[in-house]
Amino acid sequence: MATTTFNCIDAHTCGNPVRLVAKGGPDLKGRNMSEMRMHFLESFDWIRKGLMFEPRGHDMMSGSIFYPPADPVNDLGILFIETSGCLPMCGHGTIGSITIGIEEGLIHPKIPGKIRLETPAGLVEVEYQQTGKNVDWVKFNNVKSFLVAKELNIESAHLGTLIFDVSYGGNFYAIIDPQKNFSGLQDYTPTELIQFSREIREAINTKYPNEFIHPENETIRDVSHILWTGSTLAPNATARNAVFYGDNAIDRSPCGTGTSARMAQWHAKGLLKPGEDFIHESIIGSQFIGRIEEVTTLENRIAITPSIKGWARIYGYNKIKIDDDDPFAEGFQVI
């Protein structure tokens, strides 16, 4: 019997979990975090499943592992692991992981208050404010984000014909705004949104095969998240969303890559200008502050560099073991 032990630090970003694997992560090969992500998926995905799925995790569990940077000018690399897979980029995971790393002394930035973070989706520049030991907030400039397609359609067995846009913010999002057959997320339960999303995501990727591939990294492909929109809760909020990911999860945070994708959508439609605050609410009412930092291009298309600002809190420390003779060593899901 072989046992692998992982020292983990658990936190949440605006309500959504982040489990940082502080010790026990595998050695990965690759010239950058994108190649290392592929090595992880090929050889070590059992770690993700074992730590994220039940019985050691749950449907909403997200996590991360730190690595030395490929380029010494940067501070560190990061791998994102969660129930939905090994993501190219994760916004709430970035905010939570940086908070954990600074507060626990796992990160030693070259410039205090600033971190150059290598992600599988590309370089992300991070700022944070610290009071004593505590990190008050984390803000990151995300990878270039852009509207991919607009006014596509799909048939839902539950809702009928739905019109949606696809936008990229580190992952590909199908964004479903209020319309004839969908009055807004406020009129549906999270259970209903999850049920709709499973069917719709599969249908989108079946109907539009090879349509959603990142122009600079073909390993980033297909719609992985469904973003439902609707009425806001707080008077200061710009917009509200509920993001479906994995097979049974609605993001409790406003979702960093989802917020980036939505800002790219709004900018392309003339609804958001550079420098304007985009206060994005989650399903539970927690907020990220987004902003377009720059309008740029990517492969001859208009893109934006979005920033996302939020907070996280550490709530626990775990030493988790996975025994290879455990029938549920790689976890399970009950859907």
Side-chain angles (χ1 to χ4, degrees), residues 23-39:
K23 186 177 181 181
D27 292 332
L28 298 178
K29 297 178 181 178
R31 294 169 295 178
N32 52 50
M33 287 308 306
S34 180
E35 292 185 1
M36 291 168 70
R37 168 178 175 256
M38 299 310 295
H39 182 207

Side-chain angles (χ1 to χ4, degrees), residues 42-262:
E42 292 167 2
S43 303
F44 298 103
D45 204 37
W46 63 270
I47 295 175
R48 177 187 68 85
K49 294 175 181 177
L51 294 178
M52 299 293 108
F53 292 157
E54 295 183 67
R56 301 167 195 85
H58 52 73
D59 288 330
M60 272 62 66
M61 184 58 76
S62 297
S64 61
I65 309 172
F66 288 149
Y67 286 93
D71 186 339
V73 75
N74 300 325
D75 291 287
L76 75 158
I78 190 169
L79 183 79
F80 299 107
I81 54 175
E82 62 173 56
T83 53
S84 65
C86 189
L87 295 180
M89 175 57 190
C90 181
H92 96 274
T94 295
I95 293 170
S97 299
I98 293 299
T99 298
I100 295 169
I102 293 297
E103 291 189 357
E104 296 294 317
L106 303 176
I107 304 174
H108 304 283
K110 293 177 173 61
I111 301 174
K114 297 181 182 295
I115 294 172
R116 292 173 59 87
L117 181 68
E118 297 177 358
T119 79
L123 181 67
V124 170
E125 296 184 346
V126 181
E127 299 178 31
Y128 63 90
Q129 177 176 286
Q130 190 173 13
T131 303
K133 180 183 177 183
N134 297 327
V135 173
D136 303 315
W137 51 259
V138 174
K139 176 182 176 182
F140 65 91
N141 284 2
N142 199 7
V143 295
K144 292 181 179 181
S145 303
F146 53 93
L147 181 65
V148 181
K150 61 182 180 180
E151 297 182 358
L152 303 178
N153 66 81
I154 200 72
E155 292 297 318
S156 164
H158 302 91
L159 298 172
T161 302
L162 291 173
I163 307 300
F164 66 96
D165 297 338
V166 173
S167 193
Y168 177 81
N171 305 288
F172 286 104
Y173 286 78
I175 302 176
I176 303 174
D177 289 310
Q179 55 192 274
K180 178 182 177 181
N181 292 331
F182 174 69
S183 55
L185 69 89
Q186 71 280 351
D187 294 327
Y188 299 88
T189 67
T191 299
E192 288 174 319
L193 294 176
I194 289 170
Q195 184 181 23
F196 304 157
S197 298
R198 286 198 208 108
E199 173 211 9
I200 290 167
R201 182 177 61 189
E202 181 178 0
I204 288 172
N205 287 322
T206 299
K207 183 176 180 178
Y208 300 97
N210 301 317
E211 290 284 331
F212 314 120
I213 302 174
H214 194 280
E216 296 181 341
N217 187 341
E218 64 181 12
T219 69
I220 304 175
R221 58 184 301 132
D222 301 329
V223 167
S224 54
H225 297 65
I226 307 293
L227 192 156
W228 304 90
T229 79
S231 301
T232 57
L233 298 173
N236 72 326
T238 309
R240 185 176 177 220
N241 81 130
V243 166
F244 168 80
Y245 66 95
D247 293 314
N248 205 34
I250 293 289
D251 199 330
R252 273 58 171 160
S253 84
C255 186
T257 56
T259 300
S260 299
R262 197 172 183 195

